[in-house]
Amino acid sequence: MPSPRSSRERRAGGSGGRLEFLSLSQRGPAAPDSPSRRREPAGAAAAPLPEEDCMKLNPSFVGIALSSLLAIDLWASKRLGVCAGEGSAWGSARPLMKVIEVSGHGIPWLLGTFYGLCQSDSSAAREVLLNLLFALLLDLVMVAVVKGLVKRPRPTHNKMDMFVTISVDKYSFPSGHATRAALVCRFVLRHLVLAVPLRVLVVLWALIVSISRVMLGRHNMTDVLFGLLLGYALYGVVEHCWLSPATAPALFALWSH
């Protein structure tokens, strides 16, 4: 029969084992090599996405609409560039389109207006030509500023053989030809007395010059549309700042014979 002492020792040993087990279960964080400790870095790395990434993953309706319109613009402009090269669908009409391109270029208009201003003997004609020269210079400045700010590249199917280009002409938005065509069209219809057939021809010229920019692959459709709107608005600026012998006597004295 076991002694009471041995029974107490066994009970003490059993309770000691239980105490040791409890002390192990109540310890602090797991050891570095434990599976729970190894999973901590993965949980800590799951930081929230930056705000800009969230915006990219959840684009706004306006962003989606603009991206869709841009894609349609690029697709339609490429399809309409039928004279972009000799091997294009209407490549045989490319020389004619380039003649139309020259007719809307700024240099012929500036030189022609300056020559007419030097040769004019009428004060009324000098007033009209001087304001036309002012309108053409304003057009060049505004188009160059917008192109330099937007910096939209020309269409990829464009062939860089344009007539007399400058530094900002490597950009596409807006179309300077379309801007000039709209501006000159409004100016001529307002300040020149023309028969109805000639007025119709002036409007057709402005439209053909604008359309030829897309057909030659020089511009996208939105470049031309914005150019027409800009030229239409610039004429309002010219009318508001109209130069006359009363408002700019020094200029008219310079050109008087």
Side-chain angles (χ1 to χ4, degrees), residues 27-97:
R27 284 181 184 176
D33 57 344
S34 65
S36 61
R37 186 60 176 254
R38 288 197 298 268
R39 285 195 297 269
E40 284 181 2
L49 291 172
E51 184 179 355
E52 58 270 16
D53 291 342
C54 294
M55 292 176 64
K56 292 177 183 178
L57 293 175
N58 300 285
S60 64
F61 174 78
V62 176
I64 295 174
L66 291 177
S67 299
S68 302
L69 289 176
L70 178 61
I72 294 172
D73 177 38
L74 296 175
W75 173 81
S77 301
K78 189 172 183 178
R79 293 293 300 271
L80 293 174
V82 292
C83 300
E86 290 77 5
S88 302
W90 293 6
S92 58
R94 183 176 172 81
L96 176 60
M97 291 293 106

Side-chain angles (χ1 to χ4, degrees), residues 34-250:
S34 65
S36 61
R37 186 60 176 254
R38 288 197 298 268
R39 285 195 297 269
E40 284 181 2
L49 291 172
E51 184 179 355
E52 58 270 16
D53 291 342
C54 294
M55 292 176 64
K56 292 177 183 178
L57 293 175
N58 300 285
S60 64
F61 174 78
V62 176
I64 295 174
L66 291 177
S67 299
S68 302
L69 289 176
L70 178 61
I72 294 172
D73 177 38
L74 296 175
W75 173 81
S77 301
K78 189 172 183 178
R79 293 293 300 271
L80 293 174
V82 292
C83 300
E86 290 77 5
S88 302
W90 293 6
S92 58
R94 183 176 172 81
L96 176 60
M97 291 293 106
K98 294 190 69 174
V99 172
I100 296 173
E101 178 180 58
V102 174
S103 73
H105 199 278
I107 290 182
W109 277 99
L110 284 171
L111 293 178
T113 303
F114 185 80
Y115 178 79
L117 190 58
C118 293
Q119 297 297 319
S120 177
D121 293 327
S122 169
S123 59
R126 283 198 298 270
E127 182 176 346
V128 172
L129 290 172
L130 188 60
N131 282 276
L132 178 58
L133 183 62
F134 166 66
L136 294 172
L137 292 174
L138 178 65
D139 166 69
L140 286 178
V141 172
M142 289 301 300
V143 170
V145 169
V146 177
K147 283 187 175 183
L149 291 175
V150 178
K151 295 182 178 180
R152 184 184 190 183
R154 289 192 180 270
T156 55
H157 57 282
N158 174 47
K159 186 178 179 181
M160 293 299 292
D161 57 349
M162 295 176 288
F163 175 74
V164 187
T165 59
I166 57 176
S167 59
V168 293
D169 282 336
K170 62 183 177 181
Y171 301 125
S172 178
F173 186 90
S175 169
H177 280 69
T179 305
R180 192 172 303 109
L183 175 61
V184 171
C185 180
R186 285 198 71 187
F187 192 98
V188 169
L189 294 180
R190 177 66 178 82
H191 294 286
L192 294 184
V193 180
L194 300 175
V196 174
L198 291 178
R199 297 174 71 87
V200 172
L201 286 177
V202 170
V203 175
L204 287 176
W205 168 80
L207 292 176
I208 292 173
V209 168
S210 302
I211 294 172
S212 70
R213 309 311 293 156
V214 181
M215 295 179 66
L216 282 170
R218 309 294 196 206
H219 293 277
N220 297 305
M221 293 175 59
T222 50
D223 304 333
V224 173
L225 291 176
F226 185 84
L228 290 172
L229 293 175
L230 180 60
Y232 191 90
L234 285 178
Y235 175 77
V237 177
V238 174
E239 282 291 314
H240 181 74
C241 304
W242 187 262
L243 303 176
S244 66
T247 59

